[in-house]
């Protein structure tokens, strides 16, 4: 569609397409990396307490209670914390406020497909650096002049982890531009780069409450970095929407960060299920990339990725498939509950035996 009422920018946009949220009941939904467990009961209680007459009042524009909870959890100063309406919004402000310079920014050829979308929205030039043959990010390939570097750790949609020591080596070399680590899945077995933000003023770490804290529906994301970087994000935010987080989101997210026991319990349950799922997929003949996330990336040497995705859908199991070069034979499968994973495995067994 085209319209003479659209700005030239709108004509040029190629928007991100999120994984579908089907309205059908009884689906085994393993396509958008949601957590199979509910949010912390303490987070639900905090949101219920926030649900009342106070909703007539605007929320705290600085979401102080939430920033304090995050600062406590990571033992950083509150001035190093930024929060937004999902990490997708935080990332948008990062592209707009910290990555838009003359030089192209660098990110992997296979990565979160929202990055090129933000580049289109904000006019950021970029260069894609190929993953190596084992689908790992090789940071020694990121040595050229750049306007910034961004990648998820673990990477999406591969699940492959980059060791924090490699990130520190990159930071020692790359001092002239911002390095952004998108840690959407770090809590499922990786080591966070947050402590390095104390030492490297050009490091910004992004996280979300959508995956490991089971709050995708609440829309809360965050960034941690030097106050100078946070100030840029605050300036953008306060030129865009002063109140990105509502009262319920601030209360629920803060309580989720405080409930460390529940968080540890549910993330380790997901990690254990991932180990089981990887073994079962391997037994069915799949090549499974080593995952440190709450999803696995797997291909079958004898079955086409798109055909398998469709066959699973016919059995009410929804997984994600990307029609991109190098990865079009893979399925990205969210680690679900033990029951969901068992349903996936038995559907696959039936399909492969056909
Ligand atoms: C899920 C995801 C996000 C977005 O998370 P929200 O906080 O729900 O917007 C960001 N980056 C990566 C790599 C993700 O997989």
């Amino acid at each position: 569609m085209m319209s003479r009422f659209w700005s030239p920018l709108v004509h040029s946009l190629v928007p991100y397409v999120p994984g579908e949220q089907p309205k059908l009941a009884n689906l085994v939904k393993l396509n958008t990396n949601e957590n199979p467990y509910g949010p912390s009961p303490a987070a639900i209680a905090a949101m219920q307490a926030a649900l009342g007459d106070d909703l007539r009042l605007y929320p705290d524009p600085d979401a102080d209670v939430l920033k304090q909870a995050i600062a406590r959890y990571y033992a950083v100063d509150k001035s190093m914390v930024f929060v937004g309406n999902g990490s997708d919004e935080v990332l948008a402000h990062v592209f707009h406020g910290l990555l838009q310079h003359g030089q192209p920014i660098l990110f992997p050829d296979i990565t979160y497909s929202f990055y090129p979308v933000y580049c289109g929205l904000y006019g950021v030039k970029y260069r894609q650096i190929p993953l190596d043959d084992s689908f790992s990010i090789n940071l020694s390939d990121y040595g050229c002049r750049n306007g910034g570097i961004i990648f998820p750790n673990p990477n999406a949609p591969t699940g492959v982890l980059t060791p924090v020591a490699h990130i520190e080596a990159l930071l020692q070399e790359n001092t002239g531009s911002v390095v952004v680590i998108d840690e959407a899945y770090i809590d499922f077995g990786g080591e966070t780069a947050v402590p390095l933000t104390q030492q490297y003023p050009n490091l910004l770490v992004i996280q979300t409450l959508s995956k490991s804290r089971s709050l995708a529906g609440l829309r809360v994301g965050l960034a941690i970095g030097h106050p100078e970087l946070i100030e840029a994000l605050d300036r953008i935010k306060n030129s865009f929407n002063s109140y990105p987080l509502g009262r319920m989101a601030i209360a629920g997210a803060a309580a989720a960060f405080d409930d460390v026991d529940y968080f540890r319990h549910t993330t380790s349950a997901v990690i254990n299920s991932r180990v089981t799922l990887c073994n079962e997929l391997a037994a069915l003949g799949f090549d499974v990339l080593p995952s440190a996330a709450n999803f696995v990336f797997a291909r079958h040497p004898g079955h086409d990725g798109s055909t398998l995705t469709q066959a699973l859908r016919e059995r009410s199991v929804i997984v994600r498939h990307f029609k991109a070069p190098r990865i079009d034979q893979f399925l990205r499968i969210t680690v679900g509950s033990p029951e969901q994973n068992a349903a996936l495995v038995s559907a696959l067994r039936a399909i492969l035996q056909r």
Side-chain angles (χ1 to χ4, degrees):
M1 198 175 40
M2 301 272 266
S3 165
R4 66 196 168 92
F5 301 119
W6 291 2
S7 68
L9 172 68
V10 172
H11 281 285
S12 76
L13 293 180
V14 184
Y16 178 73
V17 183
E20 62 174 325
Q21 296 291 345
K23 304 278 183 294
L24 301 169
N26 303 322
L27 284 181
V28 180
K29 188 177 177 304
L30 302 175
N31 68 330
T32 53
N33 299 341
E34 288 139 335
N35 201 304
Y37 303 107
S40 145
I44 306 265
M47 289 187 273
Q48 274 162 345
L51 175 59
D53 277 350
D54 280 353
L55 285 176
R56 72 192 176 79
L57 302 169
Y58 281 104
D60 173 9
D62 291 320
D64 208 61
V65 170
L66 173 55
K67 286 186 184 173
Q68 277 175 24
I70 296 165
R72 248 192 326 270
Y73 182 84
Y74 278 116
V76 297
D77 194 82
K78 209 191 70 183
S79 63
M80 297 183 67
V81 182
F82 178 83
V83 294
N85 191 256
S87 61
D88 285 340
E89 184 188 79
V90 177
L91 285 166
H93 294 342
V94 168
F95 277 78
H96 205 178
L98 294 169
L99 296 179
Q100 198 189 39
H101 302 284
Q103 293 284 332
I105 67 165
L106 310 178
F107 52 78
D109 61 337
I110 296 166
T111 195
Y112 189 34
S113 46
F114 223 136
Y115 300 159
V117 175
Y118 293 127
C119 288
L121 178 58
Y122 294 118
V124 177
K125 291 198 266 332
Y126 62 93
R127 222 183 101 195
Q128 291 169 296
I129 310 290
L131 297 184
D132 70 15
D133 291 339
S134 59
F135 294 93
S136 297
I137 295 173
N138 189 347
L139 288 178
S140 57
D141 297 339
Y142 289 67
C144 57
R145 268 170 62 94
N146 62 76
I149 296 173
I150 181 166
F151 59 90
N153 195 37
N155 195 14
T158 61
V160 176
L161 187 72
T162 303
V164 115
H166 295 193
I167 293 173
E168 181 156 22
L170 173 74
L171 288 162
Q172 280 162 357
E173 294 296 316
N174 191 94
T175 54
S177 70
V178 178
V179 174
V180 184
I181 315 292
D182 180 353
E183 293 190 335
Y185 302 103
I186 197 69
D187 297 321
F188 299 106
E191 184 189 347
T192 178
V194 165
L196 296 178
T197 59
Q198 307 279 7
Q199 231 173 309
Y200 298 93
N202 61 329
L203 170 63
L204 191 72
V205 176
I206 312 289
Q207 292 192 356
T208 174
L209 280 79
S210 297
K211 278 77 183 231
S212 59
R213 288 187 171 79
S214 308
L215 286 168
L218 199 62
R219 312 305 303 129
V220 185
L222 60 114
I224 299 178
H226 192 281
E228 201 176 297
L229 303 183
I230 300 303
E231 163 91 23
L233 300 178
D234 270 326
R235 283 172 163 236
I236 297 263
K237 172 223 160 212
N238 290 323
S239 308
F240 179 80
N241 176 7
S242 311
Y243 306 105
L245 292 187
R247 287 174 169 267
M248 316 231 324
I250 293 169
F257 258 98
D258 285 341
D259 194 350
V260 177
D261 286 343
Y262 184 84
F263 165 75
R264 291 212 180 112
H265 181 73
T266 48
T267 45
S268 54
V270 170
I271 292 168
N272 289 337
S273 296
R274 178 184 70 216
V275 173
T276 309
L277 179 59
C278 287
N279 290 337
E280 289 178 329
L281 291 171
L284 289 173
F286 281 88
D287 299 329
V288 188
L289 296 189
S291 170
N294 69 336
F295 58 86
V296 299
F297 208 47
R299 67 180 159 196
H300 198 287
H303 293 264
D304 175 64
S306 155
T307 312
L308 274 181
T309 304
Q310 191 51 40
L312 281 170
R313 168 176 284 274
E314 282 155 18
R315 287 171 164 76
S316 301
V317 180
I318 314 288
V319 300
R320 192 105 200 247
H321 174 257
F322 298 92
K323 285 192 179 62
R326 290 181 81 189
I327 56 169
D328 62 349
Q329 290 308 307
F330 283 88
L331 311 182
R332 193 199 66 186
I333 306 167
T334 304
V335 178
S337 65
E339 297 73 29
Q340 290 177 308
N341 300 336
L344 164 87
V345 170
S346 75
L348 280 173
R349 192 171 292 124
I351 293 163
L352 297 181
Q353 280 168 357
R354 251 192 331 212

